Amino acid sequence: SAATFAVILIFVLLYRYKSQTKHQVVPNPKPNPRKEQNSNISKIVFDLLRLGGCPIEIPFYDLSSWSDKFSKAVAISRRGRFGVTFKGAVVHQSPSSSSSSSSSYSSGSSQITSVVIKQIGEVSANSDVNLSIKKEIDTFESIKRCSNIIRLIGYCMKEESSIEKPCMVYEYAPRGDLLNFLLKTSPQDLLWQHRLRIAVGIATALVCLHNNNINNDKDQQPIYHMSLKPSNVVLMQDFTPKIIDCGLA
């Protein structure tokens, strides 16, 4: 029957999609130690990823350098509701440094740390992009103690007279977003302990957001994500889930 044929066709198309995406891996951007890279900014970003702290403003030319001028080769996702994301490589000249982070690796005398750079598009027709970025910063400041919410490292505001796009910089999640991970992974390959960690982690993040006003501050309100879905959950190397776009959603 036509219904049976349609079901078979859907399964065939899904199988082809999984086969085509199974081995697609975003490469590490080529380390670019050119003089325009700001070594001080790189060191601060490196320390923020290791030790934590408040997000900093990062010049656009540094973001461009870290991502090979926003090359399509290092694009993590296509244009979505809030823009396009790229994988960036932050080069820090520190021969004696060492890091246990899964997003860091060494190249000669340099420590190279991966980050996510999101070029922010117009959130809505009636919104100011810079206000949306400030909202994301404020959101992070109030919930930065939660380990299941992605860490905001830095930002780049949009200048009125510039064509440069505003950006946000986040910690890098090696396993990518949950939606693509599920499409690429066979059910038997995802251990129950990992499934439980993902479920509990997402629930923990929601508790942090909804209980944001723990000090009964009149100006502090609970945070509702409004766009929670598998593509807005990313996975670290140990399957710790982290919710993204908390302030933009």
Side-chain angles (χ1 to χ4, degrees), residues 67-76 86:
S67 59
D68 285 344
K69 297 181 179 179
F70 298 100
S71 168
K72 291 182 179 179
V74 296
I76 297 176
F86 299 86

Side-chain angles (χ1 to χ4, degrees), residues 92-106:
H92 173 45
Q93 302 291 340
S94 181
S96 61
S97 65
S98 61
S99 173
S100 59
S101 172
S102 58
S103 62
S104 298
Y105 57 98
S106 297

Side-chain angles (χ1 to χ4, degrees), residues 1-228:
S1 65
T4 303
F5 176 77
V7 172
I8 295 174
L9 179 61
I10 290 174
F11 275 102
V12 170
L13 292 176
L14 180 60
Y15 176 78
R16 290 187 62 186
Y17 174 79
K18 290 180 67 175
S19 300
Q20 291 174 355
T21 59
K22 187 173 182 179
H23 301 292
Q24 291 180 357
V25 178
V26 179
N28 291 314
K30 297 178 181 179
N32 189 355
R34 295 178 300 176
K35 62 181 180 180
E36 62 262 39
Q37 279 205 24
N38 189 327
S39 58
N40 290 331
I41 291 291
S42 297
K43 182 181 185 305
I44 293 172
V45 169
F46 183 77
D47 290 340
L48 282 173
L49 287 166
R50 290 190 305 121
L51 306 174
C54 298
I56 62 170
E57 187 165 7
I58 302 175
F60 184 83
Y61 60 76
D62 281 305
L63 302 181
S64 178
S65 179
W66 296 345
S67 59
D68 285 344
K69 297 181 179 179
F70 298 100
S71 168
K72 291 182 179 179
V74 296
I76 297 176
S77 70
R78 297 178 180 178
R79 181 170 297 279
R81 179 183 175 190
F82 302 119
V84 186
T85 55
F86 299 86
K87 183 178 181 181
V90 182
V91 181
H92 173 45
Q93 302 291 340
S94 181
S96 61
S97 65
S98 61
S99 173
S100 59
S101 172
S102 58
S103 62
S104 298
Y105 57 98
S106 297
S107 177
S109 62
S110 301
Q111 186 73 24
I112 303 171
T113 300
S114 297
V115 295
V116 171
I117 303 172
K118 179 188 287 290
Q119 279 191 336
I120 307 297
E122 295 296 334
V123 179
S124 68
N126 299 319
S127 66
D128 183 333
V129 176
N130 284 347
L131 288 178
S132 298
I133 292 177
K134 291 177 181 178
K135 181 182 177 182
E136 179 85 342
I137 296 170
D138 292 340
T139 299
F140 173 79
E141 283 297 308
S142 63
I143 55 177
K144 61 184 177 183
R145 292 182 298 275
C146 181
S147 60
N148 292 111
I149 294 175
I150 202 71
R151 290 170 58 191
L152 175 63
I153 305 302
Y155 57 91
C156 176
M157 295 290 192
K158 179 177 178 59
E159 301 291 339
E160 292 184 4
S161 59
S162 173
I163 61 173
E164 298 172 350
K165 296 182 179 180
C167 299
M168 308 287 286
V169 182
Y170 301 92
E171 64 179 321
Y172 177 69
R175 294 189 182 274
D177 68 74
L178 181 58
L179 176 61
N180 284 322
F181 181 80
L182 292 176
L183 288 174
K184 298 175 187 177
T185 306
S186 300
Q188 60 268 25
D189 293 334
L190 187 58
L191 301 179
W192 276 105
Q193 65 191 57
H194 295 152
R195 300 184 191 198
L196 182 61
R197 179 175 298 178
I198 293 170
V200 172
I202 294 173
T204 300
L206 291 177
V207 170
C208 291
L209 291 171
H210 296 172
N211 293 338
N212 182 45
N213 191 6
I214 59 176
N215 296 320
N216 294 319
D217 187 344
K218 294 181 179 179
D219 296 328
Q220 199 80 0
Q221 300 296 325
I223 300 171
Y224 302 106
H225 194 287
M226 305 302 291
S227 186
L228 183 61

